[in-house]
Amino acid sequence: MNLYVGNLAYGVTEDELRAAFAEHGEVESVNIITDRYTGQSKGFGFVEMPSNSDADKAIKALNGASLQGRPIKVNQAKPRTNNRSFRGPRY
């Protein structure tokens, strides 16, 4: 199950996020979204957990929990949609 993790402190690393979720089950991947120009975290990311039951446990345990002094938001990620459709020329 792919999980959305929001309200992350900018200093949180992928390893720290992995460690927080690993307490609740196996973590397949962690991806913190960063600004493409500055490389700074945008304050949210995604954690992939292969077991749905482990993911549900992680949601219940970590949603609202404090990570580096900020209460994080954890829920099931929504499927990605293509919102950047071609609109044609702007003239």
Side-chain angles (χ1 to χ4, degrees), residues 27-77:
V27 175
E28 192 171 288
S29 66
V30 175
N31 184 21
I32 293 178
I33 307 303
T34 57
D35 182 273
R36 82 175 72 180
Y37 300 111
T38 65
Q40 183 180 18
S41 167
K42 288 193 170 191
F44 70 96
F46 298 93
V47 175
E48 181 77 33
M49 298 183 82
S51 167
N52 286 350
S53 63
D54 288 346
D56 288 334
K57 287 181 207 170
I59 290 170
K60 288 180 179 126
L62 295 174
N63 189 33
S66 181
L67 186 62
Q68 286 195 3
R70 294 188 69 159
I72 60 173
K73 180 177 180 177
V74 182
N75 54 37
Q76 186 173 352

mmCIF file of all heavy atoms in Angstrom, residues 27-77:
data_model
loop_
_atom_site.group_PDB
_atom_site.id
_atom_site.type_symbol
_atom_site.label_atom_id
_atom_site.label_comp_id
_atom_site.label_asym_id
_atom_site.label_seq_id
_atom_site.Cartn_x
_atom_site.Cartn_y
_atom_site.Cartn_z
ATOM 1 N N VAL A 27 9.108 -1.941 5.094
ATOM 2 C CA VAL A 27 9.003 -0.766 4.232
ATOM 3 C C VAL A 27 9.704 -1.083 2.919
ATOM 4 O O VAL A 27 10.874 -1.461 2.903
ATOM 5 C CB VAL A 27 9.647 0.470 4.897
ATOM 6 C CG1 VAL A 27 9.640 1.653 3.952
ATOM 7 C CG2 VAL A 27 8.933 0.812 6.182
ATOM 8 N N GLU A 28 8.965 -0.963 1.828
ATOM 9 C CA GLU A 28 9.522 -1.257 0.506
ATOM 10 C C GLU A 28 10.303 -0.069 -0.048
ATOM 11 O O GLU A 28 11.391 -0.220 -0.579
ATOM 12 C CB GLU A 28 8.384 -1.621 -0.441
ATOM 13 C CG GLU A 28 8.816 -2.227 -1.746
ATOM 14 C CD GLU A 28 7.616 -2.740 -2.504
ATOM 15 O OE1 GLU A 28 7.042 -3.776 -2.088
ATOM 16 O OE2 GLU A 28 7.251 -2.102 -3.506
ATOM 17 N N SER A 29 9.733 1.148 0.055
ATOM 18 C CA SER A 29 10.423 2.332 -0.450
ATOM 19 C C SER A 29 9.937 3.578 0.268
ATOM 20 O O SER A 29 8.837 3.607 0.807
ATOM 21 C CB SER A 29 10.207 2.490 -1.958
ATOM 22 O OG SER A 29 8.849 2.762 -2.229
ATOM 23 N N VAL A 30 10.798 4.599 0.263
ATOM 24 C CA VAL A 30 10.493 5.899 0.853
ATOM 25 C C VAL A 30 10.914 6.963 -0.148
ATOM 26 O O VAL A 30 11.995 6.879 -0.735
ATOM 27 C CB VAL A 30 11.258 6.108 2.181
ATOM 28 C CG1 VAL A 30 11.027 7.502 2.729
ATOM 29 C CG2 VAL A 30 10.872 5.057 3.196
ATOM 30 N N ASN A 31 10.045 7.950 -0.360
ATOM 31 C CA ASN A 31 10.356 9.019 -1.299
ATOM 32 C C ASN A 31 9.862 10.345 -0.735
ATOM 33 O O ASN A 31 8.662 10.558 -0.628
ATOM 34 C CB ASN A 31 9.699 8.726 -2.655
ATOM 35 C CG ASN A 31 10.064 9.739 -3.704
ATOM 36 O OD1 ASN A 31 11.066 10.439 -3.587
ATOM 37 N ND2 ASN A 31 9.258 9.827 -4.742
ATOM 38 N N ILE A 32 10.800 11.226 -0.370
ATOM 39 C CA ILE A 32 10.436 12.572 0.081
ATOM 40 C C ILE A 32 10.504 13.474 -1.142
ATOM 41 O O ILE A 32 11.502 13.495 -1.869
ATOM 42 C CB ILE A 32 11.371 13.062 1.195
ATOM 43 C CG1 ILE A 32 11.166 12.217 2.455
ATOM 44 C CG2 ILE A 32 11.111 14.548 1.500
ATOM 45 C CD1 ILE A 32 12.077 12.572 3.608
ATOM 46 N N ILE A 33 9.444 14.215 -1.395
ATOM 47 C CA ILE A 33 9.356 15.073 -2.570
ATOM 48 C C ILE A 33 10.162 16.348 -2.329
ATOM 49 O O ILE A 33 10.001 17.009 -1.297
ATOM 50 C CB ILE A 33 7.881 15.414 -2.898
ATOM 51 C CG1 ILE A 33 7.052 14.131 -3.019
ATOM 52 C CG2 ILE A 33 7.782 16.272 -4.150
ATOM 53 C CD1 ILE A 33 7.556 13.139 -4.047
ATOM 54 N N THR A 34 11.016 16.683 -3.290
ATOM 55 C CA THR A 34 11.868 17.863 -3.170
ATOM 56 C C THR A 34 11.644 18.808 -4.336
ATOM 57 O O THR A 34 11.193 18.402 -5.413
ATOM 58 C CB THR A 34 13.359 17.472 -3.137
ATOM 59 O OG1 THR A 34 13.673 16.725 -4.311
ATOM 60 C CG2 THR A 34 13.691 16.639 -1.908
ATOM 61 N N ASP A 35 11.965 20.072 -4.108
ATOM 62 C CA ASP A 35 11.897 21.081 -5.152
ATOM 63 C C ASP A 35 12.980 20.774 -6.183
ATOM 64 O O ASP A 35 14.134 20.532 -5.826
ATOM 65 C CB ASP A 35 12.118 22.466 -4.541
ATOM 66 C CG ASP A 35 12.009 23.565 -5.564
ATOM 67 O OD1 ASP A 35 13.046 23.870 -6.202
ATOM 68 O OD2 ASP A 35 10.904 24.112 -5.748
ATOM 69 N N ARG A 36 12.631 20.787 -7.446
ATOM 70 C CA ARG A 36 13.600 20.386 -8.469
ATOM 71 C C ARG A 36 14.731 21.391 -8.641
ATOM 72 O O ARG A 36 15.794 21.045 -9.138
ATOM 73 C CB ARG A 36 12.901 20.105 -9.789
ATOM 74 C CG ARG A 36 12.595 21.318 -10.623
ATOM 75 C CD ARG A 36 12.018 20.958 -11.962
ATOM 76 N NE ARG A 36 10.664 20.478 -11.756
ATOM 77 C CZ ARG A 36 9.856 20.071 -12.699
ATOM 78 N NH1 ARG A 36 10.253 20.092 -13.936
ATOM 79 N NH2 ARG A 36 8.646 19.660 -12.428
ATOM 80 N N TYR A 37 14.536 22.628 -8.242
ATOM 81 C CA TYR A 37 15.572 23.652 -8.420
ATOM 82 C C TYR A 37 16.451 23.817 -7.191
ATOM 83 O O TYR A 37 17.667 23.947 -7.315
ATOM 84 C CB TYR A 37 14.935 24.994 -8.791
ATOM 85 C CG TYR A 37 14.147 24.908 -10.076
ATOM 86 C CD1 TYR A 37 12.768 25.018 -10.073
ATOM 87 C CD2 TYR A 37 14.784 24.689 -11.296
ATOM 88 C CE1 TYR A 37 12.035 24.916 -11.241
ATOM 89 C CE2 TYR A 37 14.068 24.575 -12.468
ATOM 90 C CZ TYR A 37 12.694 24.698 -12.439
ATOM 91 O OH TYR A 37 11.971 24.588 -13.600
ATOM 92 N N THR A 38 15.848 23.815 -6.006
ATOM 93 C CA THR A 38 16.630 24.033 -4.785
ATOM 94 C C THR A 38 17.037 22.739 -4.093
ATOM 95 O O THR A 38 17.966 22.735 -3.295
ATOM 96 C CB THR A 38 15.833 24.883 -3.771
ATOM 97 O OG1 THR A 38 14.691 24.147 -3.342
ATOM 98 C CG2 THR A 38 15.417 26.216 -4.381
ATOM 99 N N GLY A 39 16.311 21.658 -4.352
ATOM 100 C CA GLY A 39 16.592 20.386 -3.689
ATOM 101 C C GLY A 39 16.022 20.304 -2.283
ATOM 102 O O GLY A 39 16.163 19.295 -1.608
ATOM 103 N N GLN A 40 15.352 21.368 -1.812
ATOM 104 C CA GLN A 40 14.767 21.377 -0.478
ATOM 105 C C GLN A 40 13.467 20.572 -0.461
ATOM 106 O O GLN A 40 12.712 20.570 -1.424
ATOM 107 C CB GLN A 40 14.490 22.807 -0.023
ATOM 108 C CG GLN A 40 13.955 22.879 1.384
ATOM 109 C CD GLN A 40 13.680 24.303 1.840
ATOM 110 O OE1 GLN A 40 13.579 25.210 1.027
ATOM 111 N NE2 GLN A 40 13.558 24.489 3.135
ATOM 112 N N SER A 41 13.237 19.904 0.655
ATOM 113 C CA SER A 41 12.008 19.134 0.832
ATOM 114 C C SER A 41 10.796 20.034 0.685
ATOM 115 O O SER A 41 10.804 21.190 1.096
ATOM 116 C CB SER A 41 12.006 18.494 2.221
ATOM 117 O OG SER A 41 10.738 17.993 2.548
ATOM 118 N N LYS A 42 9.729 19.476 0.102
ATOM 119 C CA LYS A 42 8.466 20.214 0.004
ATOM 120 C C LYS A 42 7.557 19.928 1.195
ATOM 121 O O LYS A 42 6.446 20.423 1.262
ATOM 122 C CB LYS A 42 7.741 19.853 -1.294
ATOM 123 C CG LYS A 42 8.414 20.445 -2.514
ATOM 124 C CD LYS A 42 7.519 20.327 -3.712
ATOM 125 C CE LYS A 42 8.075 21.126 -4.870
ATOM 126 N NZ LYS A 42 7.118 21.244 -5.952
ATOM 127 N N GLY A 43 8.016 19.100 2.133
ATOM 128 C CA GLY A 43 7.254 18.856 3.349
ATOM 129 C C GLY A 43 6.297 17.681 3.275
ATOM 130 O O GLY A 43 5.450 17.512 4.153
ATOM 131 N N PHE A 44 6.422 16.867 2.222
ATOM 132 C CA PHE A 44 5.598 15.660 2.155
ATOM 133 C C PHE A 44 6.343 14.580 1.394
ATOM 134 O O PHE A 44 7.344 14.841 0.732
ATOM 135 C CB PHE A 44 4.227 15.937 1.527
ATOM 136 C CG PHE A 44 4.255 16.232 0.049
ATOM 137 C CD1 PHE A 44 4.013 15.232 -0.874
ATOM 138 C CD2 PHE A 44 4.516 17.514 -0.419
ATOM 139 C CE1 PHE A 44 4.027 15.500 -2.237
ATOM 140 C CE2 PHE A 44 4.526 17.801 -1.767
ATOM 141 C CZ PHE A 44 4.277 16.783 -2.683
ATOM 142 N N GLY A 45 5.848 13.361 1.524
ATOM 143 C CA GLY A 45 6.496 12.243 0.842
ATOM 144 C C GLY A 45 5.574 11.037 0.809
ATOM 145 O O GLY A 45 4.398 11.113 1.185
ATOM 146 N N PHE A 46 6.139 9.931 0.354
ATOM 147 C CA PHE A 46 5.373 8.692 0.208
ATOM 148 C C PHE A 46 6.178 7.525 0.754
ATOM 149 O O PHE A 46 7.398 7.472 0.593
ATOM 150 C CB PHE A 46 5.036 8.446 -1.260
ATOM 151 C CG PHE A 46 4.174 9.529 -1.839
ATOM 152 C CD1 PHE A 46 4.734 10.612 -2.497
ATOM 153 C CD2 PHE A 46 2.799 9.478 -1.698
ATOM 154 C CE1 PHE A 46 3.951 11.628 -3.014
ATOM 155 C CE2 PHE A 46 1.999 10.489 -2.207
ATOM 156 C CZ PHE A 46 2.573 11.564 -2.869
ATOM 157 N N VAL A 47 5.481 6.608 1.393
ATOM 158 C CA VAL A 47 6.091 5.383 1.921
ATOM 159 C C VAL A 47 5.304 4.216 1.348
ATOM 160 O O VAL A 47 4.077 4.187 1.435
ATOM 161 C CB VAL A 47 6.041 5.355 3.467
ATOM 162 C CG1 VAL A 47 6.571 4.030 3.994
ATOM 163 C CG2 VAL A 47 6.819 6.516 4.053
ATOM 164 N N GLU A 48 6.004 3.271 0.757
ATOM 165 C CA GLU A 48 5.373 2.074 0.180
ATOM 166 C C GLU A 48 5.609 0.912 1.140
ATOM 167 O O GLU A 48 6.753 0.604 1.492
ATOM 168 C CB GLU A 48 5.992 1.775 -1.179
ATOM 169 C CG GLU A 48 5.400 0.582 -1.885
ATOM 170 C CD GLU A 48 4.052 0.881 -2.529
ATOM 171 O OE1 GLU A 48 3.835 2.010 -2.976
ATOM 172 O OE2 GLU A 48 3.222 -0.042 -2.574
ATOM 173 N N MET A 49 4.504 0.279 1.563
ATOM 174 C CA MET A 49 4.577 -0.899 2.426
ATOM 175 C C MET A 49 3.864 -2.050 1.724
ATOM 176 O O MET A 49 2.717 -1.890 1.303
ATOM 177 C CB MET A 49 3.929 -0.607 3.783
ATOM 178 C CG MET A 49 4.619 0.509 4.549
ATOM 179 S SD MET A 49 3.917 0.811 6.175
ATOM 180 C CE MET A 49 4.730 -0.464 7.129
ATOM 181 N N PRO A 50 4.531 -3.212 1.558
ATOM 182 C CA PRO A 50 3.930 -4.317 0.810
ATOM 183 C C PRO A 50 2.703 -4.934 1.491
ATOM 184 O O PRO A 50 1.808 -5.424 0.819
ATOM 185 C CB PRO A 50 5.054 -5.341 0.679
ATOM 186 C CG PRO A 50 6.087 -4.950 1.649
ATOM 187 C CD PRO A 50 5.899 -3.508 1.978
ATOM 188 N N SER A 51 2.642 -4.886 2.807
ATOM 189 C CA SER A 51 1.524 -5.496 3.540
ATOM 190 C C SER A 51 0.480 -4.437 3.884
ATOM 191 O O SER A 51 0.780 -3.448 4.568
ATOM 192 C CB SER A 51 2.040 -6.150 4.824
ATOM 193 O OG SER A 51 0.968 -6.473 5.670
ATOM 194 N N ASN A 52 -0.749 -4.653 3.435
ATOM 195 C CA ASN A 52 -1.830 -3.716 3.744
ATOM 196 C C ASN A 52 -2.114 -3.647 5.246
ATOM 197 O O ASN A 52 -2.432 -2.581 5.770
ATOM 198 C CB ASN A 52 -3.104 -4.086 2.992
ATOM 199 C CG ASN A 52 -3.018 -3.741 1.527
ATOM 200 O OD1 ASN A 52 -2.108 -3.071 1.077
ATOM 201 N ND2 ASN A 52 -3.986 -4.216 0.757
ATOM 202 N N SER A 53 -2.006 -4.777 5.945
ATOM 203 C CA SER A 53 -2.281 -4.772 7.384
ATOM 204 C C SER A 53 -1.214 -3.969 8.129
ATOM 205 O O SER A 53 -1.525 -3.225 9.065
ATOM 206 C CB SER A 53 -2.384 -6.191 7.933
ATOM 207 O OG SER A 53 -1.163 -6.876 7.797
ATOM 208 N N ASP A 54 0.060 -4.101 7.719
ATOM 209 C CA ASP A 54 1.125 -3.305 8.330
ATOM 210 C C ASP A 54 0.921 -1.825 8.036
ATOM 211 O O ASP A 54 1.145 -0.974 8.888
ATOM 212 C CB ASP A 54 2.504 -3.744 7.827
ATOM 213 C CG ASP A 54 2.943 -5.087 8.375
ATOM 214 O OD1 ASP A 54 2.312 -5.569 9.342
ATOM 215 O OD2 ASP A 54 3.915 -5.653 7.841
ATOM 216 N N ALA A 55 0.496 -1.516 6.813
ATOM 217 C CA ALA A 55 0.254 -0.125 6.435
ATOM 218 C C ALA A 55 -0.878 0.472 7.271
ATOM 219 O O ALA A 55 -0.786 1.610 7.735
ATOM 220 C CB ALA A 55 -0.064 -0.029 4.950
ATOM 221 N N ASP A 56 -1.936 -0.300 7.485
ATOM 222 C CA ASP A 56 -3.039 0.175 8.320
ATOM 223 C C ASP A 56 -2.582 0.434 9.757
ATOM 224 O O ASP A 56 -2.978 1.415 10.376
ATOM 225 C CB ASP A 56 -4.199 -0.820 8.313
ATOM 226 C CG ASP A 56 -4.953 -0.827 6.991
ATOM 227 O OD1 ASP A 56 -4.930 0.200 6.288
ATOM 228 O OD2 ASP A 56 -5.565 -1.867 6.673
ATOM 229 N N LYS A 57 -1.715 -0.458 10.266
ATOM 230 C CA LYS A 57 -1.165 -0.260 11.609
ATOM 231 C C LYS A 57 -0.343 1.026 11.662
ATOM 232 O O LYS A 57 -0.434 1.788 12.625
ATOM 233 C CB LYS A 57 -0.274 -1.441 11.996
ATOM 234 C CG LYS A 57 -0.998 -2.716 12.318
ATOM 235 C CD LYS A 57 0.020 -3.768 12.713
ATOM 236 C CE LYS A 57 -0.491 -5.143 12.406
ATOM 237 N NZ LYS A 57 0.541 -6.168 12.557
ATOM 238 N N ALA A 58 0.448 1.255 10.635
ATOM 239 C CA ALA A 58 1.291 2.453 10.589
ATOM 240 C C ALA A 58 0.432 3.716 10.521
ATOM 241 O O ALA A 58 0.738 4.711 11.182
ATOM 242 C CB ALA A 58 2.240 2.387 9.395
ATOM 243 N N ILE A 59 -0.648 3.682 9.743
ATOM 244 C CA ILE A 59 -1.547 4.843 9.652
ATOM 245 C C ILE A 59 -2.123 5.154 11.027
ATOM 246 O O ILE A 59 -2.109 6.302 11.478
ATOM 247 C CB ILE A 59 -2.674 4.595 8.626
ATOM 248 C CG1 ILE A 59 -2.118 4.585 7.213
ATOM 249 C CG2 ILE A 59 -3.754 5.663 8.760
ATOM 250 C CD1 ILE A 59 -3.104 4.117 6.155
ATOM 251 N N LYS A 60 -2.631 4.122 11.716
ATOM 252 C CA LYS A 60 -3.245 4.328 13.027
ATOM 253 C C LYS A 60 -2.229 4.829 14.056
ATOM 254 O O LYS A 60 -2.546 5.673 14.894
ATOM 255 C CB LYS A 60 -3.893 3.035 13.509
ATOM 256 C CG LYS A 60 -5.148 2.697 12.734
ATOM 257 C CD LYS A 60 -5.790 1.419 13.213
ATOM 258 C CE LYS A 60 -7.042 1.157 12.404
ATOM 259 N NZ LYS A 60 -7.071 -0.141 11.789
ATOM 260 N N ALA A 61 -1.005 4.306 13.987
ATOM 261 C CA ALA A 61 0.004 4.658 14.989
ATOM 262 C C ALA A 61 0.661 6.012 14.710
ATOM 263 O O ALA A 61 0.979 6.749 15.651
ATOM 264 C CB ALA A 61 1.071 3.570 15.045
ATOM 265 N N LEU A 62 0.872 6.342 13.438
ATOM 266 C CA LEU A 62 1.680 7.521 13.131
ATOM 267 C C LEU A 62 0.898 8.756 12.723
ATOM 268 O O LEU A 62 1.448 9.859 12.731
ATOM 269 C CB LEU A 62 2.697 7.170 12.033
ATOM 270 C CG LEU A 62 3.742 6.129 12.425
ATOM 271 C CD1 LEU A 62 4.597 5.740 11.233
ATOM 272 C CD2 LEU A 62 4.610 6.651 13.558
ATOM 273 N N ASN A 63 -0.369 8.617 12.351
ATOM 274 C CA ASN A 63 -1.145 9.797 11.968
ATOM 275 C C ASN A 63 -1.318 10.691 13.201
ATOM 276 O O ASN A 63 -1.894 10.291 14.196
ATOM 277 C CB ASN A 63 -2.505 9.405 11.402
ATOM 278 C CG ASN A 63 -3.235 10.580 10.793
ATOM 279 O OD1 ASN A 63 -2.622 11.485 10.248
ATOM 280 N ND2 ASN A 63 -4.546 10.570 10.891
ATOM 281 N N GLY A 64 -0.767 11.892 13.140
ATOM 282 C CA GLY A 64 -0.809 12.815 14.270
ATOM 283 C C GLY A 64 0.391 12.700 15.198
ATOM 284 O O GLY A 64 0.559 13.518 16.097
ATOM 285 N N ALA A 65 1.236 11.689 14.978
ATOM 286 C CA ALA A 65 2.426 11.519 15.817
ATOM 287 C C ALA A 65 3.449 12.602 15.478
ATOM 288 O O ALA A 65 3.462 13.149 14.382
ATOM 289 C CB ALA A 65 3.041 10.136 15.594
ATOM 290 N N SER A 66 4.323 12.888 16.423
ATOM 291 C CA SER A 66 5.322 13.937 16.240
ATOM 292 C C SER A 66 6.601 13.357 15.640
ATOM 293 O O SER A 66 7.111 12.346 16.104
ATOM 294 C CB SER A 66 5.630 14.589 17.583
ATOM 295 O OG SER A 66 6.562 15.617 17.421
ATOM 296 N N LEU A 67 7.097 14.003 14.588
ATOM 297 C CA LEU A 67 8.369 13.637 13.981
ATOM 298 C C LEU A 67 9.154 14.933 13.803
ATOM 299 O O LEU A 67 8.713 15.834 13.087
ATOM 300 C CB LEU A 67 8.145 12.943 12.630
ATOM 301 C CG LEU A 67 9.372 12.374 11.936
ATOM 302 C CD1 LEU A 67 10.027 11.293 12.796
ATOM 303 C CD2 LEU A 67 8.999 11.775 10.585
ATOM 304 N N GLN A 68 10.259 15.037 14.516
ATOM 305 C CA GLN A 68 11.065 16.260 14.578
ATOM 306 C C GLN A 68 10.221 17.469 14.987
ATOM 307 O O GLN A 68 10.322 18.559 14.431
ATOM 308 C CB GLN A 68 11.767 16.533 13.253
ATOM 309 C CG GLN A 68 12.937 15.633 12.986
ATOM 310 C CD GLN A 68 13.827 16.128 11.864
ATOM 311 O OE1 GLN A 68 13.616 17.185 11.290
ATOM 312 N NE2 GLN A 68 14.836 15.353 11.543
ATOM 313 N N GLY A 69 9.349 17.262 15.965
ATOM 314 C CA GLY A 69 8.579 18.353 16.527
ATOM 315 C C GLY A 69 7.334 18.756 15.762
ATOM 316 O O GLY A 69 6.664 19.713 16.132
ATOM 317 N N ARG A 70 7.007 18.056 14.690
ATOM 318 C CA ARG A 70 5.803 18.393 13.914
ATOM 319 C C ARG A 70 4.867 17.198 13.860
ATOM 320 O O ARG A 70 5.311 16.072 13.619
ATOM 321 C CB ARG A 70 6.197 18.780 12.490
ATOM 322 C CG ARG A 70 7.000 20.073 12.457
ATOM 323 C CD ARG A 70 7.218 20.530 11.074
ATOM 324 N NE ARG A 70 5.950 20.962 10.495
ATOM 325 C CZ ARG A 70 5.867 21.776 9.467
ATOM 326 N NH1 ARG A 70 6.949 22.239 8.904
ATOM 327 N NH2 ARG A 70 4.700 22.126 8.982
ATOM 328 N N PRO A 71 3.573 17.421 14.031
ATOM 329 C CA PRO A 71 2.618 16.306 13.921
ATOM 330 C C PRO A 71 2.430 15.941 12.450
ATOM 331 O O PRO A 71 2.022 16.769 11.638
ATOM 332 C CB PRO A 71 1.326 16.878 14.515
ATOM 333 C CG PRO A 71 1.448 18.355 14.324
ATOM 334 C CD PRO A 71 2.916 18.675 14.396
ATOM 335 N N ILE A 72 2.778 14.708 12.099
ATOM 336 C CA ILE A 72 2.684 14.306 10.696
ATOM 337 C C ILE A 72 1.289 13.782 10.375
ATOM 338 O O ILE A 72 0.564 13.312 11.248
ATOM 339 C CB ILE A 72 3.760 13.251 10.319
ATOM 340 C CG1 ILE A 72 3.614 11.977 11.155
ATOM 341 C CG2 ILE A 72 5.143 13.843 10.445
ATOM 342 C CD1 ILE A 72 4.537 10.857 10.715
ATOM 343 N N LYS A 73 0.938 13.892 9.108
ATOM 344 C CA LYS A 73 -0.345 13.389 8.617
ATOM 345 C C LYS A 73 -0.044 12.161 7.764
ATOM 346 O O LYS A 73 0.766 12.228 6.837
ATOM 347 C CB LYS A 73 -1.036 14.465 7.782
ATOM 348 C CG LYS A 73 -2.361 14.042 7.238
ATOM 349 C CD LYS A 73 -3.028 15.166 6.477
ATOM 350 C CE LYS A 73 -4.365 14.676 5.955
ATOM 351 N NZ LYS A 73 -5.095 15.733 5.273
ATOM 352 N N VAL A 74 -0.682 11.054 8.075
ATOM 353 C CA VAL A 74 -0.448 9.806 7.342
ATOM 354 C C VAL A 74 -1.784 9.238 6.897
ATOM 355 O O VAL A 74 -2.686 9.061 7.704
ATOM 356 C CB VAL A 74 0.287 8.762 8.216
ATOM 357 C CG1 VAL A 74 0.555 7.491 7.420
ATOM 358 C CG2 VAL A 74 1.574 9.317 8.783
ATOM 359 N N ASN A 75 -1.919 8.975 5.606
ATOM 360 C CA ASN A 75 -3.108 8.291 5.094
ATOM 361 C C ASN A 75 -2.768 7.587 3.782
ATOM 362 O O ASN A 75 -1.670 7.735 3.267
ATOM 363 C CB ASN A 75 -4.300 9.252 4.932
ATOM 364 C CG ASN A 75 -3.971 10.454 4.099
ATOM 365 O OD1 ASN A 75 -3.223 10.375 3.130
ATOM 366 N ND2 ASN A 75 -4.524 11.596 4.457
ATOM 367 N N GLN A 76 -3.711 6.816 3.289
ATOM 368 C CA GLN A 76 -3.491 6.093 2.049
ATOM 369 C C GLN A 76 -3.386 7.089 0.900
ATOM 370 O O GLN A 76 -4.201 8.006 0.786
ATOM 371 C CB GLN A 76 -4.631 5.112 1.790
ATOM 372 C CG GLN A 76 -4.387 4.226 0.587
ATOM 373 C CD GLN A 76 -5.456 3.152 0.452
ATOM 374 O OE1 GLN A 76 -6.284 2.973 1.323
ATOM 375 N NE2 GLN A 76 -5.422 2.443 -0.652
ATOM 376 N N ALA A 77 -2.356 6.920 0.077
ATOM 377 C CA ALA A 77 -2.147 7.834 -1.045
ATOM 378 C C ALA A 77 -3.212 7.617 -2.107
ATOM 379 O O ALA A 77 -3.620 6.491 -2.377
ATOM 380 C CB ALA A 77 -0.763 7.616 -1.641
#
